Every structure is written in structure tokens, then in C-alpha cells.
Amino acid sequence: AQDGSGDPATLIHGISTAIVEGERLTHDEIGSMISLVLVAGGETTGLGIANLWATLLTEPALLDWLRADPDGRMDAAISEAMRRNGPVIAEDREVNRDVEWYGVTVPAGATIRALMGSANHDETVFADPLRVDPERPDLHRGKESRPAGQDPDGRFGHLTFGAGDHFCVGYQLGRAEMAAATTALLE
């Protein structure tokens, strides 16, 4: 689903025809990846929709803002909802080489916990991070950036979908499902 459509058939086609390090995925790897998207994606997408609606229902001005132009504002609403109240707030990672971090060496093989929820509320990145504002000038809105960090316009991507090699394989499908569910509920 590299075209950004989020269409399930496009995602499955992309997985089944993918070439990794010059080789096609095996039948078992394809099945495993599709199962991961369906199981993990279903849970996190459901939580994302619930978190978005919890925000919309507790912020009536935001709900009115989205209702006024759902087609033009949906991406911004989803991006801010994922930054503010993403469904996954932390993930464990194994360090594959020694890393120096603020004067402390984290040895290869150690397990760390990446706190995406905390990073998404970092006041040195997002002004007034607890405030819900889908038009905030410091947030990259729309399709998330795999590398994360700052975009050319000076805005930052949230880390709810991860970054780099750990970027969520199903994020486009999840966004499409969130938009479809939210549109249906708005109607």
C-alpha cells in the first residue's frame, strides 16, 4: 500500500509481492505478516477510533470543527488524535549494539522501553502538548513520515506508528479504517 490508499487488497498485494534484500517473502512469511496486520491492526485501530471519539466527545468545539468539513479535516483530526492519545504508548526493543545515551552505555542485548506516548507529549517538540489542536503548527499532519523527526516545514511527526525499521506496516490501513469509521459515525 505504498500509494497511501490503505486499501486492504493493495496492502495484501504489496506484502505478497514484496522483495526484501533481493528475495521474495516465503509463503509462511506472507501469511505471518498478513496475520500480524489483521490481529495487531484490528486491536490498535479499534483503540485509535475509541480514543479519537473520546476526544471528540469531550471537546465539543473539535467535534463541530470536524463536522464542518470532514473530508478536508479528517487527516488533521486523526494525526492530532494519534499524537495526543495513541493506542500504543510504549514498546520494548532489544538493543543490537552498545549505545551511548546521556553519558550511560546501554549494552547490546539489553531491553529498553520506547515511550512513544511520552515522546508525543514532549513540550520541547510540541507546544502545549496536552492541548488538543488538530491545526497546531508544529505537527506534521496527514500521512505519517516513516523517518519521523522534523519535516522541511519545521513540523514534527508523532511517533505513534513508530519510525524507521519499526514503522507500522499497517498504518495506512489503520488510518483508512479510522477515517471510514469516523465518517460513518459523523453521518
Side-chain angles (χ1 to χ4, degrees), residues 104-126:
V104 175
T105 299
V106 181
T111 300
I112 60 149
R113 177 153 291 168
L115 300 173
M116 289 90 72
S118 179
N120 289 340
H121 292 130
D122 184 343
E123 63 277 352
T124 66
V125 176
F126 299 109

Side-chain angles (χ1 to χ4, degrees), residues 5-29:
S5 69
D7 173 52
T10 304
L11 178 63
I12 290 170
H13 179 266
I15 292 169
S16 63
T17 59
I19 297 175
V20 178
E21 297 178 1
E23 295 185 26
R24 291 201 179 275
L25 298 174
T26 68
H27 182 63
D28 288 343
E29 290 168 331

Side-chain angles (χ1 to χ4, degrees), residues 45-63:
T45 299
L47 290 170
I49 293 166
N51 289 351
L52 171 59
W53 275 91
T55 301
L56 291 172
L57 294 173
T58 57
E59 301 277 344
L62 179 61
L63 181 57

Side-chain angles (χ1 to χ4, degrees), residues 1-2 11 15 18-21 33 79 93 116 140-152 155-172 175:
Q2 293 185 13
L11 178 63
I15 292 169
I19 297 175
V20 178
E21 297 178 1
M33 184 66 68
S79 292
R93 295 285 183 247
M116 289 90 72
H140 172 84
R141 292 179 296 280
K143 301 297 185 258
E144 280 68 29
S145 170
R146 182 183 177 102
Q150 197 169 19
D151 72 13
R155 297 173 304 202
F156 290 88
H158 63 76
L159 296 176
T160 301
F161 292 111
D165 290 344
H166 295 283
F167 191 71
C168 177
V169 68
Y171 92 98
Q172 291 173 327
R175 279 189 73 95

Side-chain angles (χ1 to χ4, degrees), residues 90-97 99 101 105-107 109-115:
E91 288 191 359
D92 291 345
R93 295 285 183 247
E94 185 175 315
V95 179
N96 61 13
R97 61 181 168 81
V99 176
W101 188 257
T105 299
V106 181
T111 300
I112 60 149
R113 177 153 291 168
L115 300 173

